[in-house]
Amino acid sequence: MMKSFIRCQRCGIEASPTQKIRACSRCNKVGYCGKSCQRADWKVHKLNCNKPTAVPQKEEIVTRLEKQNDDGTWEDAGQINLLEDGMASTSIIDGDSPTINNSTIPSISAQNTTIKNLTKELPKTAQQMLQSQSNHYKYQHSNDGIDTNLLIFFHGAGDTHLPFDNLGKRMELPQTATLSLSASISLNLSDGGRSSCFVELPFGLGHAWFQEMDYNTGEKLSTNHTKRLKSLKHALRMLDPLICSLIGIDTDGDINNTCDNNWIPERVFLFGFSSGACLAMELCRMWANAGRMPLGGAICICGGIHGNVELLGISRKTDKKPKELTDVLIITGDDDYPKEVAEQNKQLYGSSKVQIYTKKGRGNAMVNSKEEMQVIMEFLSKRLVRRMASMEDQSR
């Protein structure tokens, strides 16, 4: 019988109705809140992790997946080891192929099930921040009715959230809800002294997350220009409370809301294009420097961090050491954000946590090829979590 634990061995977070602490399945001596903490603690724990001898080991539950090749044949894609809470990591299965910009894009298909509805509405705190802003964001439940993961989209300067909402639908990620945000949104923050808007571009050109150009002269601001840094800092401070509300923590990293509608950090993913990609990567760096657990992953298209300022938007907590960085995928190849710049950003962020995919000759545009989407799907397939809901009643 598995032991119950009151807090995570690695980060110390306590068990709650929405945060289970699961025992190490090998030794049953310590507990963890998730895979990230278990991996991070392995170097230390493996010295004392011994299989119990008095209790016979239960048979491992394994599922295997297959993926379809271009010629229509199927091949083994490997096994999925089920976790104690009925969760499993996903692998790619090429299913129906949606199209974007007339390009064929493979999707990760969900299993066909008739299980109970497990959708989530946005947490009440997040709904309050987004109140009366329904035209400036889109929240969509997973196509399979199980909102285990959350993918958040950030558009580029002058664009809107609508194309990204459509992209989220066409990707058909299993058990993944999507939240597409527009820089035109006005967030209802509790701090009345702060402005709740992002940047409105001149001449009716739309909105941006932060200022990248001097609108009086038309010149592009340098990486460390005071105006750019101040505007980026403001954007990070604006979005941080929203993302915290989705996870159920306050901006100090403490749990302040435990409900079934919250996502844990490793199940929240960011997807940004151009300046939205820069914002996503900066959010991940800020998140780590604030001493928080890493997010599930971030996908950055034609953009990333540019400055060597390690923390923008919030103050480092003196009692909290920086946590592990979130995994990042950068797709590049255009003149505005070439591979050389992406490599520099990789070093600034943390080289072991950044994967770069370069497509020679691609323009400054969103994903528009099967090859690029395949890279994105492979990145997500190693990090998305799938809830084996059909087995939950048996595991209780």
Side-chain angles (χ1 to χ4, degrees):
M1 183 176 180
M2 302 298 287
K3 292 182 181 178
S4 60
F5 295 86
I6 61 173
R7 60 175 55 86
C8 176
Q9 170 78 4
R10 171 70 178 179
C11 69
I13 189 172
E14 295 185 353
S16 70
T18 58
Q19 178 62 69
K20 295 182 179 180
I21 306 300
R22 298 296 183 182
C24 170
S25 59
R26 188 169 188 263
C27 68
N28 198 23
K29 294 178 181 179
V30 297
Y32 298 99
C33 62
K35 294 183 292 183
S36 297
C37 275
Q38 188 172 15
R39 292 193 198 103
D41 195 52
W42 176 242
K43 289 183 180 180
V44 176
H45 176 55
K46 68 180 180 180
L47 301 177
N48 298 307
C49 185
N50 299 314
K51 293 183 179 180
T53 56
V55 181
Q57 294 291 301
K58 67 178 183 180
E59 184 178 355
E60 184 179 27
I61 305 173
V62 172
T63 295
R64 301 193 73 85
L65 291 179
E66 291 182 331
K67 68 176 181 179
Q68 191 173 25
N69 299 319
D70 293 337
D71 60 2
T73 61
W74 291 81
E75 66 176 84
D76 187 6
Q79 70 181 35
I80 299 176
N81 293 309
L82 303 184
L83 305 181
E84 289 298 327
D85 61 351
M87 311 300 295
S89 297
T90 63
S91 291
I92 290 180
I93 308 176
D94 291 339
D96 296 334
S97 296
T99 58
I100 298 177
N101 296 337
N102 298 320
S103 298
T104 303
I105 296 175
S107 66
I108 304 178
S109 301
Q111 291 178 327
N112 293 323
T113 60
T114 58
I115 57 179
K116 60 184 179 181
N117 188 291
L118 292 169
T119 60
K120 294 182 181 180
E121 299 304 324
L122 291 174
K124 289 184 178 180
T125 306
Q127 291 185 36
Q128 291 171 356
M129 293 183 188
L130 298 169
Q131 189 175 5
S132 303
Q133 296 289 306
S134 59
N135 292 331
H136 305 277
Y137 77 93
K138 284 282 189 179
Y139 175 65
Q140 298 287 347
H141 294 300
S142 173
N143 188 53
D144 52 24
I146 312 174
D147 298 336
T148 304
N149 309 284
L150 176 66
L151 179 61
I152 305 174
F153 288 100
F154 301 108
H155 63 73
D159 204 348
T160 74
H161 61 297
L162 297 178
F164 295 85
D165 176 59
N166 290 330
L167 172 61
K169 293 176 184 177
R170 293 177 177 181
M171 289 173 72
E172 294 184 350
L173 296 172
Q175 301 192 12
T176 304
T178 61
L179 176 61
S180 306
L181 297 171
S182 171
S184 63
I185 200 167
S186 296
L187 297 177
N188 298 314
L189 302 178
S190 58
D191 185 353
R194 274 191 276 161
S195 171
S196 58
C197 300
F198 294 96
V199 175
E200 183 174 1
L201 300 175
F203 311 115
L205 295 177
H207 293 78
W209 301 106
F210 56 92
Q211 187 173 353
E212 297 182 282
M213 181 182 295
D214 187 326
Y215 302 129
N216 294 321
T217 64
E219 295 181 359
K220 186 175 181 179
L221 299 178
S222 62
T223 296
N224 293 315
H225 194 286
T226 303
K227 287 184 179 180
R228 180 184 181 278
L229 292 178
K230 182 179 180 180
S231 180
L232 178 56
K233 178 179 178 180
H234 170 76
L236 293 170
R237 290 184 63 189
M238 285 278 295
L239 288 169
D240 186 54
L242 177 61
I243 296 179
C244 286
S245 72
L246 297 170
I247 294 173
I249 62 175
D250 57 30
T251 52
D252 289 328
D254 300 320
I255 297 176
N256 70 346
N257 182 19
T258 56
C259 68
D260 292 338
N261 289 355
N262 294 130
W263 287 270
I264 63 176
E266 66 179 13
R267 296 174 193 172
V268 175
F269 297 80
L270 307 181
F271 190 122
F273 168 64
S274 191
S275 59
C278 174
L279 184 65
M281 201 166 178
E282 288 286 5
L283 277 167
C284 293
R285 180 163 62 171
M286 182 185 73
W287 195 267
N289 286 336
R292 301 169 185 164
M293 297 299 297
L295 301 176
I299 299 167
C300 300
I301 312 297
C302 297
I305 60 173
H306 288 285
N308 56 7
V309 181
E310 291 187 358
L311 188 65
L312 296 170
I314 60 175
S315 300
R316 186 190 297 274
K317 305 303 177 184
T318 56
D319 59 336
K320 294 182 179 180
K321 296 181 180 180
K323 291 286 186 179
E324 183 180 353
L325 287 160
T326 298
D327 292 336
V328 174
L329 168 66
I330 296 176
I331 293 183
T332 186
D334 67 286
D335 294 335
D336 291 335
Y337 189 71
K339 180 180 179 182
E340 294 75 19
V341 176
E343 290 288 353
Q344 294 173 6
N345 296 166
K346 179 177 179 178
Q347 297 302 320
L348 287 172
Y349 182 81
S351 58
S352 65
K353 289 295 180 178
V354 178
Q355 172 187 340
I356 298 176
Y357 175 78
T358 304
K359 184 179 180 183
K360 188 175 181 180
R362 88 180 306 280
N364 186 27
M366 260 300 293
V367 179
N368 58 9
S369 72
K370 179 179 179 179
E371 292 76 18
E372 291 176 359
M373 187 54 75
Q374 185 72 40
V375 172
I376 292 173
M377 290 298 189
E378 289 176 354
F379 177 83
L380 290 172
S381 72
K382 297 175 182 178
R383 294 163 178 84
L384 289 177
V385 175
R386 178 174 291 175
R387 184 172 185 170
M388 306 301 285
S390 59
M391 299 180 62
E392 288 187 351
D393 291 337
Q394 302 175 25
S395 64
R396 289 194 179 100

